[in-house]
Amino acid sequence: ITGSNVEYIGENAFSDCKALTSPPEAMLTAKEIGTYAFRSCKNLNAVECPNLVKMGERVFERCTSLNTIGNLGHITEIPYGTFSGCTGLTNITIPDSITSIGERAFYNCSGITEVTIPNSITSIGESAFYGCSGLTKIELPGSITSINGGVFENCKKLAKITIPNSVTTIGNRAF
């Protein structure tokens, strides 16, 4: 799929596009991607959005072959459910430009074994990593003051978590 001048990809634009395997040119130039734009693109293996400024909710939900999250441009938040059900993800490094991880951002990403969260993160939404059953360890940065409810619930292999002194509240069913 070509289109090197695309600045906006609308809601559901490529939803359920099973033939899509790599990021289309439009993803590389888009400044805004709407809700569900690439939802259930089961063969999409990478995300690369270097010009992104705004992203809707659940954009890459259930892209089960997704294994690489590249440049996310200039966004500061990973919105609600963005990568929910992306079971092909394994090691995640959240970019320093991100300050907030939304609710259910990585919900049921069972393939994730390791997540690197930078000091730029000040907020992690409820159930953000719920059901990441392969996650074995997590180190939270000192910028976090609370661990919301369900954030790491059903992470059955989580054996090591480093909670910084800055955390004053741990929500219901956090683990």
Side-chain angles (χ1 to χ4, degrees):
I1 298 173
T2 60
S4 60
N5 292 321
V6 174
E7 291 187 8
Y8 174 73
I9 298 173
E11 292 185 12
N12 291 297
F14 294 92
S15 188
D16 291 310
C17 186
K18 293 176 183 35
L20 190 62
T21 57
S22 60
E25 283 183 28
M27 189 188 292
L28 299 172
T29 60
K31 292 181 180 175
E32 184 176 348
I33 299 177
T35 299
Y36 298 124
F38 293 92
R39 182 181 191 212
S40 294
C41 290
K42 304 225 181 265
N43 295 308
L44 180 65
N45 61 20
V47 169
E48 190 72 32
C49 311
N51 295 302
L52 199 59
V53 176
K54 185 176 180 184
M55 180 189 293
E57 295 180 348
R58 296 177 159 179
V59 171
F60 301 102
E61 180 181 55
R62 293 194 307 238
C63 291
T64 54
S65 294
L66 187 64
N67 58 36
T68 303
I69 300 174
N71 189 336
L72 293 177
H74 310 285
I75 62 170
T76 57
E77 174 191 17
I78 296 176
Y80 179 95
T82 299
F83 298 104
S84 175
C86 294
T87 55
L89 292 174
T90 54
N91 295 328
I92 305 296
T93 300
I94 308 292
D96 289 334
S97 61
I98 304 295
T99 59
S100 175
I101 300 172
E103 291 181 23
R104 297 179 172 222
F106 296 95
Y107 187 90
N108 279 336
C109 292
S110 56
I112 293 177
T113 57
E114 191 173 327
V115 177
T116 303
I117 300 176
N119 284 325
S120 61
I121 298 293
T122 57
S123 170
I124 300 176
E126 288 192 20
S127 301
F129 295 96
Y130 177 100
C132 292
S133 55
L135 186 62
T136 57
K137 65 179 182 173
I138 190 88
E139 185 172 334
L140 296 172
S143 52
I144 299 288
T145 57
S146 65
I147 300 172
N148 288 317
V151 171
F152 300 105
E153 186 176 359
N154 274 343
C155 294
K156 297 175 183 186
K157 292 184 181 175
L158 187 58
K160 182 178 181 187
I161 183 158
T162 303
I163 300 174
N165 291 335
S166 58
V167 172
T168 57
T169 305
I170 296 176
N172 296 336
R173 300 175 329 276
F175 304 97

